[in-house]
Amino acid sequence: SSSAESDVYKRHYQRRVREKRQSMSMKQRAAIIKGEDYSFFDLDSDALCRPSDLLIGDHVGHNFKHIETDFTPLQQRVMHKVLLAKKKREEVEVSRSQISGLQQTVAQAAADGQHQITNVIQNLTEQLVRVEEHMRSELARITALNEAALNPQLQLCDSVLADLDEGVFLAKNYLEAEDPDSKPLSVVQSIEVGINEIVETAIDPKGLKLKKIGKIDVNAVSNRLQSIKLPVLELQPSAEGATKNRRSTKAYERLHNLSIRRRVEDVNLAAPNKTPFSSFPSSPPHTRGQGIGR
């Protein structure tokens, strides 16, 4: 087949290249490398190379073509586009590597933010707990003061009621007696004096000075809490290897421009002097240019 024939010629060519490279001395190789132009295009690595690179460099054994003799003018333009695309690919790969590295930076920034928020809320919670404890202790103090003011008055009321009950009981016994004159005058007078003293005992609930809790004003604190916001800063990525920020052309616009340029090039393109792939090994004479039949 034609593919088998091509492989045979390719192996034969590579063998000749290796033999020629082995027969060259170091001085000959240095003389070849010195002053060489990048006149070949490596089809395997999409890179320009020198003749010596194909013999002793990293491009040994690769498929290649001579830029001036093997490429038509249009092919040369397309080759430059391939080189431009390769350069762009390298830039994009560097940018993508940097963006991938920024994922860890973003994750670390998120973790730091969560930690900072937790610390702030914990600090505010601790302050609120201290405020609550202070307010509850103040309430307990006020309640104790109120109870201290009420208890003596309650005890006084209980004492007056008990004295009134006793005085009324003695007075009613005197009133129910069948012989009132049998009671000594001093006893009757003591009943009268005792009731008078009890009646004149002053009990004024309105004179008690009691305290209560007023409305707690939290507007100032609420406003301060609402004013607490997350300070957002710019996370600056590294500028090394970053591609230029140019406006990307839409796909249909690129295709339209390409079709117009192709029509213009077809009209203005000069007729090629050489046929494409002229650098490839020619077919054997007995195949008349048709390759080996299957």
Side-chain angles (χ1 to χ4, degrees), residues 9 11-21 281:
Y9 279 102
R11 288 195 297 270
H12 177 68
Y13 175 76
Q14 292 176 353
R15 185 172 65 253
R16 288 189 302 171
V17 169
R18 286 195 300 269
E19 292 175 354
K20 184 177 180 180
R21 183 182 59 186

Side-chain angles (χ1 to χ4, degrees), residues 39-41 43 63-67 70-71 277 279-280:
S39 57
F40 285 87
F41 180 73
L43 296 173
N63 296 319
F64 60 90
K65 283 190 175 184
H66 193 273
I67 298 175
D70 295 339
F71 281 157
F277 312 109
S279 63
F280 279 16

